[in-house]
Structure formats: structure tokens, C-alpha cells
Amino acid sequence: MSILFRLLSYVKRYWRNLSISVLCTILFSIFSGASIYLAIPLLETLFKPEGVSTTQTEPEPVASNVRGWLEKATEGISKTFQAYAITEDKSESLLRICLVILLAFLLKNLFGYLQAYSLAYVEQGVIKDLRNDLYKHIHRLSLGYFTNERTGNLISRVTNDVTVLQGSVAASFLNLIREPLLILVFLGMAFYISWKLTLISFLVLPFSLYVISRIGIKLHKESGVIQEKIADITSVLQETISGVKVVKAFGMEEFENRKFARETQDYFRRVLKISRIRNLASPLTEFLSIAAGVIIIWYGGKQVIEGMALKPAELIGFLLVIFQTMPPIKELSSVANRLQESRAAGE
């Protein structure tokens, strides 16, 4: 952790940009939830038969306290929205709801852009400062150090390893702030719609996280090896170019070709292995997510058919909300692995 804290010390110089990024992240999360939740009144307006009231069904007793707290927290926003969007004319209501949805998506993407740009400024600034400090440090090293250290390794440290460290900045300030906020917003909305369906959706979560974490551990191990292989290839290339006169004088071209080919073949094998592991994560987690979705549709569909405390628009809205939680959960589960990769590069 000391290496990561040393890296974070570089971030202090860019605290203004980081503060803007955090603020935009919070607003991005709020409008992300709003843009999805607005699908419920839209669907109700489209499919509600004439003369049928849209009065909310009574909340289920087990979740009444929590639901009541959520209603109080959102009461002002909800009343303002209903006063503007819900009218006696369905066509007018539809137009107004569509305009509100358009505005929500506009603000969501605006704050997403500002957040990404502000964080990119911090990331690239940290990398620039780190490379400059590393270059100055190289000039302070003794001649004996350069005798025992390969030039290719030093070049790899300044180029490849510093680039890997960029991932820890993004993981620390983007994933550890944005993803938990998105998860809380979406889960709060899902719980507000139906606490039973929310608990059912949690059944698949431990399995998904276990699969992703196991894959992440393997990715971390292979990533460290790949960084070393890149350094080896860079070293062989540098030694060949700097000693090309000796190579040609003794006719060692084939020997050098075979040596370089061995390094690239080993790197090729490692990259294929890490690609195989990484590409396995997506189909597995998608299947687990779809399995949860099928169970939710079955249980929620029964509630709708039997006329229980769930309306068709709410079921569709719940599905939209709960599936929006999967990407941030998957991204958050990879944060630890990215931090471990960055720590290895930092060492």
C-alpha cells in the first residue's frame, strides 16, 4: 500500500480537477438513475387504458418503512415532476415525459463528459510528473548501477511500467467513487419498486463476484509476467541495435534472430493465455445475469398476472434498473486487480 500512497501524493497537485471530477461523478450517478426510472411513467402513459387511475398500489408491509423513507426523500422531486408532466391529455403527458427523459440523458452525458475530461487531466498530469521525476532520478544514479542494469529494462520502466500506473489513478478515483454511487442509486430505485424482486436479484450476485474474482486473480499473475516479457524484448532489441557492428562482424545475425524470436514467442504465448482468461469473464457473467433476469421475469410476471402489488410498467422499469447495476458491479470487482497490477509496476 505504501507504493500506492506514494503515487497518490502526485495527485495532490491536481486537487481542483479531481474535485470537479468527483462532483460530476455524483451528478452523473443521479441523472443515470433518473434517466432509467423515467421509463416507468412513460410506459404507464403509453399503455394505461383511458379512465384507469395511476394511483400507486399500497406498499408491501415488510418494506413499508424503507419505502416510506424513500418516498419522503424524493417527495419534492416527484411532486414537481408530476405537476409538470402528468396532465389529463395523454398526448401532452407523453410529450412532456419525453422532454424530461431527453433532458435527463443530456445532463447525464454532459456530466459524464466533464467527469472523464477532468479525470484524464489528473491521470496524464500524474504520469507526466512521474516520468519527469524518474528521468531526474536516473541522472542521480551511480555509474556502477548502469553497469549491472540492462538499458532495455530502464527504458521499459520509464515507458511501459509508468503507463500501467495510470490504471491505479483511474481505479482509485473513478471506479471507487462512481461505481458504488451508481450501485446505490440503482439498488435504491429497485428496492423502491419491489423489495422482493431486489432480494431475488441478489441470489446471483455472489456467484458472479466469485467468478470475476477468480478470473481477476489469474489476470493479475499473468499481467506481472507480461510486464517482464516486454522488458526482456526491449532489452534484446536495444542490445542488438547498440551492438549491431559486433553482430555483423561475427556473422551472428541468425543467432540474434533466434534469440529475439524466443522472446516474442514467449510473449505471444503469455498474451494468448491472458486473453483467454479475460474473454472468459464476459460470457460467464452474462449467462449468470440472464439466469437472474429469467427468475425475476418469472416471479415479477406472476405478480403482474395475479394483480398483486406490481404493475406491468413497474416490472419493466425494475428490469431496466437492475440490469443497469451489473456493469458497475463487474467494473468494481476488477478494481483490486488493477491496483495490484499497478503496485507491481510501481515496485
Side-chain angles (χ1 to χ4, degrees):
M1 290 300 294
S2 60
I3 289 178
L4 293 178
F5 283 128
R6 287 179 62 186
L7 175 64
L8 294 180
S9 66
Y10 283 84
V11 179
K12 294 179 181 178
R13 309 171 192 178
Y14 303 96
W15 66 270
R16 289 186 179 87
N17 301 86
L18 185 61
S19 300
I20 294 174
S21 179
V22 172
L23 176 61
C24 290
T25 298
I26 295 172
L27 294 172
F28 172 83
S29 302
I30 293 172
F31 284 105
S32 293
S35 61
I36 300 299
Y37 188 74
L38 286 172
I40 296 178
L42 175 63
L43 292 169
E44 288 181 343
T45 302
L46 285 174
F47 301 116
K48 180 189 69 173
E50 292 291 346
V52 177
S53 174
T54 57
T55 306
Q56 187 76 286
T57 53
E58 287 297 319
E60 295 165 281
V62 179
S64 59
N65 292 334
V66 178
R67 189 183 179 106
W69 179 84
L70 289 172
E71 285 178 345
K72 289 180 181 178
T74 59
E75 186 175 2
I77 300 174
S78 178
K79 285 184 177 180
T80 303
F81 171 73
Q82 290 182 9
Y84 167 75
I86 307 301
T87 65
E88 294 296 328
D89 186 355
K90 288 182 64 175
S91 298
E92 181 68 19
S93 298
L94 178 62
L95 176 61
R96 294 187 178 187
I97 292 172
C98 288
L99 290 176
V100 173
I101 291 176
L102 184 64
L103 177 62
F105 273 97
L106 174 64
L107 293 174
K108 167 194 170 184
N109 286 282
L110 174 62
F111 289 119
Y113 166 77
L114 294 174
Q115 176 269 326
Y117 179 79
S118 301
L119 186 63
Y121 190 96
V122 176
E123 287 180 3
Q124 298 305 321
V126 168
I127 296 304
K128 171 182 67 70
D129 295 343
L130 193 58
R131 280 203 175 104
N132 289 340
D133 288 352
L134 188 54
Y135 185 77
K136 293 175 184 177
H137 180 71
I138 289 176
H139 285 290
R140 291 195 294 267
L141 296 171
S142 65
L143 287 175
Y145 179 86
F146 294 98
T147 302
N148 300 322
E149 187 68 29
R150 293 192 298 180
T151 304
N153 284 345
L154 295 177
I155 295 173
S156 180
R157 299 291 174 264
V158 180
T159 55
N160 300 319
D161 290 352
V162 172
T163 302
V164 173
L165 283 174
Q166 180 179 339
S168 65
V169 179
S172 299
F173 295 104
L174 176 60
N175 298 28
L176 290 180
I177 296 176
R178 188 182 70 180
E179 311 306 343
L181 279 174
L182 285 173
I183 292 171
L184 286 175
V185 168
F186 289 131
L187 287 183
M189 290 164 49
F191 195 89
Y192 176 76
I193 297 171
S194 173
W195 68 272
K196 289 183 178 179
L197 287 179
T198 304
L199 293 180
I200 291 174
S201 66
F202 282 162
L203 294 177
V204 75
L205 185 60
F207 299 103
S208 298
L209 293 180
Y210 174 77
V211 171
I212 295 172
S213 63
R214 292 298 302 173
I215 292 174
I217 292 172
K218 292 184 178 180
L219 282 176
H220 166 57
K221 292 179 180 178
E222 292 299 322
S223 296
V225 176
I226 284 180
Q227 287 303 115
E228 292 299 326
K229 292 302 175 183
I230 283 287
D232 292 340
I233 290 175
T234 307
S235 297
V236 173
L237 182 61
Q238 185 274 329
E239 291 167 1
T240 301
I241 293 174
S242 61
V244 66
K245 293 181 180 179
V246 177
V247 171
K248 287 186 173 295
F250 288 92
M252 298 175 62
E253 289 89 347
E254 285 301 319
F255 173 79
E256 294 295 332
N257 289 340
R258 288 193 298 270
K259 184 168 73 171
F260 190 77
R262 283 196 300 270
E263 296 294 342
T264 55
Q265 177 64 27
D266 199 14
Y267 176 76
F268 171 75
R269 183 172 56 84
R270 295 285 182 176
V271 168
L272 282 184
K273 184 176 181 180
I274 201 171
S275 177
R276 185 177 69 249
I277 297 171
R278 184 184 293 117
N279 292 332
L280 184 64
S282 180
L284 282 176
T285 52
E286 181 178 351
F287 174 78
L288 291 172
S289 302
I290 294 300
V294 169
I295 296 173
I296 292 169
I297 292 172
W298 172 77
Y299 183 80
K302 282 188 62 178
Q303 288 190 316
V304 172
I305 292 172
E306 295 171 4
M308 299 173 69
L310 195 65
K311 294 182 287 187
E314 290 179 330
L315 175 60
I316 297 174
F318 180 87
L319 291 172
L320 291 173
V321 168
I322 206 65
F323 278 111
Q324 287 295 316
T325 63
M326 292 308 296
I329 288 174
K330 289 170 64 177
E331 190 66 29
L332 191 60
S333 65
S334 66
V335 170
N337 302 318
R338 293 173 64 184
L339 291 177
Q340 290 296 327
E341 292 175 11
S342 298
R343 188 186 70 175
E347 290 172 349

